[in-house]
Amino acid sequence: MPATEVTRLGAVELAGQIASRELSSREAVEALLARIDEVNPRLNAFRVVLADEALAAADEADAKVASGEALGPLHGVPFTVKENVDVAGTATTSGIAALVEALASRDAPGVAGLRAAGAFPIARSNLAEFAFRWHSHSGAGGTTVNPWDPVRTPGGSSGGEAVALATGMTPLGLGNDLGGSLRIPSQFNGTAALKPTFGRVGAATTVPPLDSIMAVQVMQVEGPMARRVEDLRAALGPMSAPDPRDPWQAPGVTYAPDAPRRVAVTLWDGVDPDVAAGVRRAAQALEGAGYEIVDVDPPRLDEVRDIWLGILVSEFRGAWPQIAPVASADAARFVELAFEIVAPLDPAAHGMAYVERQGIAREWAEWMQNTPLVLAPVCAQQAFEVGYDISSVDAASALVDSMRMIAPANALGLPASAVPVGEAGGLPQGVQLIGPRWREDLCLDAAQAIEDALGTITPIDPR
């Protein structure tokens, strides 16, 4: 098979062809390494490429195929990992230049799970510094470029992963999401992602600090990124393997009562017309697949956004004096603007924000018994121009407003899938589907229905 065709395959397709000996794992790795050599110098999606390690792992995978051993569901498939997720023997930089030698001694739980399924890492991807910006620029890795339009941001913080997927440098990626970090780059690059329910996928690190601020502990999750929905589904199971290092993980939990096929479409004044058109196109696809579409908002959207912002920014404000000395100028500017936009919570208000969060989560759970899925934009505007987010308080505030539908999934621990729906003005369009806790299956089923109707739009060559 020509190398160009190999780089277009998804993870499930690759695993099937490797198992059937239509393609070797080494051939797959060599094709991806060639693609990385071709396009990564222009895009800077990866800071580190693990070429020798991946080739050795591919040879081991091919030997297992030849011996007739039982194979895992992703046997022989290379994947890539965001640089704030541990891969043993490589640096977990979190985008910080001072941490380029901070080697992890053990894989993160999601990485270990994918390895157990037969997959292996091939590269480490760039991200926003501290994973705290909607643009992927870091002191450790520099700036990642959007392959659709180099003037526009690739999003953040998992921008390197989405760019690599969008250009055929990887079939599968691993990132995380505290404030849209899986979903925003997916919209801005025309790829797919799954933010799992909080507690589904374990999280742990061997690079200090081992324990994060409370907002990260209860709102951030690791999840898969891909070009195809079936690959997200295939990765979720292995990534969710139990790991005692995460005391809040609840592996194997299912909650599957009968669920009506009803989807609430949420749009509002200020959504970019091209973004709104993508949401309506997705709604038509779902209606054609037998879903009932209703135009109604879920409970207390503005309140949940304000609670999410207040908790996150207040806690990050407390940690900032310790990490500011290692921040780049652009990262510091973004943080300073966040502090201007979001007023600090005093201790009493901070505690009550968590109380309010509990009440809103209960209201959403009850509301979702009748309307299990919410279809909405990820970001209400298309990929913004590089530098817009740090240009002024007004710009940063407008950007925060455009992320209105990011907050519920993070603040309330809900699963959400992101899926592309087409192109407009030379840029990709994407949507998200938010579901009830532990119902990733509902999010993925609906995303699959959209993909079946509208197709995929990547990989592309950089424009």
Side-chain angles (χ1 to χ4, degrees), residues 299-300 303-304 307 356-365 412:
R300 299 170 67 178
E303 290 175 70
V304 72
I307 286 170
E356 285 294 310
R357 170 178 171 265
Q358 172 88 355
I360 297 174
R362 182 175 57 252
E363 289 185 39
W364 270 65
L412 309 181

Side-chain angles (χ1 to χ4, degrees), residues 88-105:
T90 72
T92 302
T93 68
S94 294
I96 302 166
L99 295 181
V100 295
E101 300 297 331
L103 303 185
S105 60

Side-chain angles (χ1 to χ4, degrees), residues 47-385:
R47 192 184 72 85
V48 173
V49 179
L50 307 172
D52 292 340
E53 297 91 329
L55 287 167
D59 288 341
E60 289 183 18
D62 290 334
K64 285 187 177 181
V65 174
S67 69
E69 293 182 43
L71 306 178
L74 293 171
H75 185 81
V77 175
F79 66 96
T80 49
V81 186
K82 184 178 178 180
E83 269 202 335
N84 67 344
V85 179
D86 283 5
V87 173
T90 72
T92 302
T93 68
S94 294
I96 302 166
L99 295 181
V100 295
E101 300 297 331
L103 303 185
S105 60
R106 187 175 174 185
D107 287 335
V111 175
L114 290 175
R115 282 197 203 262
F120 50 84
I122 191 174
R124 305 300 313 273
S125 60
N126 194 37
L127 70 156
E129 232 165 288
F130 313 109
F132 195 76
R133 189 181 171 190
W134 290 310
H135 172 58
S136 289
H137 168 82
S138 76
T143 300
T144 298
V145 176
N146 189 320
W148 294 80
D149 182 350
V151 172
R152 307 273 182 158
T153 180
S157 61
S158 309
E161 285 298 328
V163 169
L165 288 160
T167 53
M169 289 190 277
T170 182
L172 182 66
L174 195 161
N176 40 39
D177 195 313
L178 175 63
S181 291
L182 289 164
R183 293 164 284 160
I184 293 162
S186 297
Q187 175 183 330
F188 290 176
N189 292 278
T191 54
L194 175 67
K195 180 221 163 286
T197 304
F198 174 76
R200 174 73 75 191
V201 177
T205 183
T206 62
V207 176
L210 303 185
D211 302 303
S212 303
I213 59 174
M214 182 59 71
V216 174
Q217 290 187 39
V218 302
M219 295 184 192
Q220 180 168 292
V221 298
E222 295 184 1
M225 305 176 73
R227 288 187 294 271
R228 301 182 183 183
V229 173
E230 68 173 357
D231 296 336
L232 303 176
R233 198 187 301 268
L236 178 63
M239 287 181 63
S240 304
D243 193 305
R245 293 179 293 164
D246 186 342
W248 308 123
Q249 187 186 15
V253 172
T254 58
Y255 179 67
D258 292 336
R261 289 168 62 85
R262 185 174 299 117
V263 181
V265 178
T266 298
L267 289 169
W268 61 96
D269 291 342
V271 177
D272 181 273
D274 288 334
V275 174
V279 173
R280 295 190 184 98
R281 189 180 306 119
Q284 292 173 350
L286 289 172
E287 193 168 37
Y291 287 82
E292 178 187 355
I293 305 300
V294 293
D295 291 319
V296 61
D297 287 341
R300 299 170 67 178
L301 285 177
D302 289 337
E303 290 175 70
V304 72
R305 181 198 59 189
D306 292 345
I307 286 170
W308 166 74
L309 276 171
I311 288 173
L312 179 59
V313 176
S314 289
E315 293 182 12
F316 197 82
R317 188 189 298 266
W320 181 241
Q322 286 73 48
I323 59 180
V326 297
S328 69
D330 282 358
R333 171 66 172 163
F334 183 80
V335 171
E336 289 161 4
L337 287 172
F339 291 167
E340 287 193 53
I341 294 167
V342 182
L345 299 177
D346 64 34
H350 184 260
M352 287 306 300
Y354 277 104
V355 174
E356 285 294 310
R357 170 178 171 265
Q358 172 88 355
I360 297 174
R362 182 175 57 252
E363 289 185 39
W364 270 65
E366 292 175 345
W367 181 83
M368 282 182 150
Q369 288 186 306
N370 293 318
T371 309
L373 289 171
V374 178
L375 172 66
V378 179
C379 177
Q381 58 181 278
Q382 289 186 304
F384 53 88
E385 292 190 0

